[in-house]
Coordinates of all heavy atoms in Angstrom, one line a residue:
P1238 N 75.9 118.9 81.2 CA 75.6 117.5 80.9 C 74.3 116.9 81.4 O 73.9 117.2 82.5 CB 76.9 116.8 81.5 CG 77.9 117.8 81.5 CD 77.2 119.1 81.7
S1239 N 73.6 116.2 80.6 CA 72.5 115.4 80.9 C 71.1 116.2 81.0 O 70.1 115.7 81.1 CB 72.6 114.6 82.1 OG 73.7 113.7 82.1
T1240 N 71.3 117.6 81.0 CA 70.1 118.4 81.3 C 69.0 118.3 80.2 O 67.8 118.3 80.5 CB 70.4 119.9 81.4 OG1 71.2 120.3 80.3 CG2 71.2 120.1 82.7
L1241 N 69.5 118.1 78.9 CA 68.5 117.9 77.8 C 67.9 116.5 77.7 O 66.8 116.3 77.4 CB 69.1 118.4 76.5 CG 69.5 119.9 76.5 CD1 70.1 120.2 75.1 CD2 68.4 120.8 76.8
Y1242 N 68.8 115.6 78.0 CA 68.3 114.2 78.1 C 67.2 114.1 79.1 O 66.1 113.5 78.9 CB 69.5 113.2 78.5 CG 69.0 111.8 78.7 CD1 68.8 110.9 77.6 CD2 68.6 111.4 79.9 CE1 68.3 109.6 77.8 CE2 68.1 110.1 80.1 CZ 67.9 109.2 79.0 OH 67.5 107.9 79.2
N1243 N 67.4 114.7 80.3 CA 66.5 114.6 81.4 C 65.1 115.2 81.0 O 64.1 114.7 81.3 CB 67.0 115.4 82.6 CG 68.1 114.6 83.3 OD1 68.4 113.5 83.0 ND2 69.0 115.4 84.1
A1244 N 65.2 116.4 80.4 CA 64.0 117.2 80.2 C 63.2 117.0 78.9 O 62.0 117.1 78.9 CB 64.4 118.7 80.4
V1245 N 63.9 116.7 77.8 CA 63.2 116.7 76.6 C 63.5 115.4 75.7 O 62.7 115.2 74.8 CB 63.6 117.9 75.7 CG1 63.1 119.2 76.4 CG2 65.1 118.0 75.5
L1246 N 64.4 114.5 76.2 CA 64.6 113.3 75.4 C 64.0 112.2 76.1 O 63.1 111.5 75.5 CB 66.2 113.1 75.3 CG 66.5 112.0 74.3 CD1 66.4 110.6 74.8 CD2 65.8 112.1 73.0
R1247 N 64.2 112.0 77.4 CA 63.6 110.8 78.1 C 62.2 110.8 78.1 O 61.5 109.8 78.0 CB 64.2 110.8 79.6 CG 63.6 109.7 80.4 CD 64.0 108.3 79.9 NE 63.4 107.3 80.6 CZ 62.1 106.8 80.5 NH1 61.3 107.4 79.6 NH2 61.7 105.8 81.2
P1248 N 61.5 112.0 78.2 CA 60.0 111.9 78.2 C 59.4 111.5 76.9 O 58.2 111.1 76.9 CB 59.6 113.5 78.4 CG 60.8 114.0 79.1 CD 62.0 113.3 78.6
L1249 N 60.1 111.4 75.8 CA 59.6 111.0 74.5 C 59.5 109.4 74.4 O 58.7 108.9 73.6 CB 60.4 111.4 73.4 CG 60.6 112.9 73.2 CD1 61.4 113.3 72.0 CD2 59.2 113.7 73.1
A1250 N 60.3 108.7 75.2 CA 60.4 107.3 75.2 C 59.2 106.6 75.9 O 58.8 107.2 77.0 CB 61.7 106.8 75.7
P1251 N 58.7 105.6 75.5 CA 59.1 104.8 74.3 C 58.3 105.0 73.0 O 57.9 104.0 72.4 CB 58.9 103.3 74.8 CG 57.7 103.4 75.7 CD 57.8 104.7 76.3
Y1252 N 57.9 106.2 72.7 CA 57.1 106.5 71.5 C 57.7 105.8 70.3 O 58.9 106.1 70.1 CB 57.0 108.0 71.3 CG 55.9 108.4 70.4 CD1 54.6 108.7 70.9 CD2 56.1 108.7 69.1 CE1 53.5 109.1 70.1 CE2 55.1 109.1 68.2 CZ 53.8 109.3 68.7 OH 52.8 109.7 67.9
A1253 N 57.0 105.0 69.6 CA 57.6 104.1 68.6 C 58.1 105.0 67.4 O 57.4 105.8 66.9 CB 56.5 103.1 68.1
L1254 N 59.3 104.6 67.0 CA 60.0 105.4 66.0 C 60.5 104.5 64.9 O 60.7 103.3 65.0 CB 61.3 106.1 66.5 CG 61.1 107.0 67.7 CD1 62.5 107.4 68.3 CD2 60.2 108.2 67.4
S1255 N 60.7 105.1 63.7 CA 61.3 104.4 62.5 C 62.7 104.6 62.5 O 63.5 103.7 62.1 CB 60.6 104.9 61.2 OG 61.0 104.1 60.2

Side-chain angles (χ1 to χ4, degrees):
S1239 304
T1240 54
L1241 298 182
Y1242 175 87
N1243 291 343
V1245 294
L1246 191 283
R1247 178 61 183 84
L1249 300 182
Y1252 198 86
L1254 304 173
S1255 191

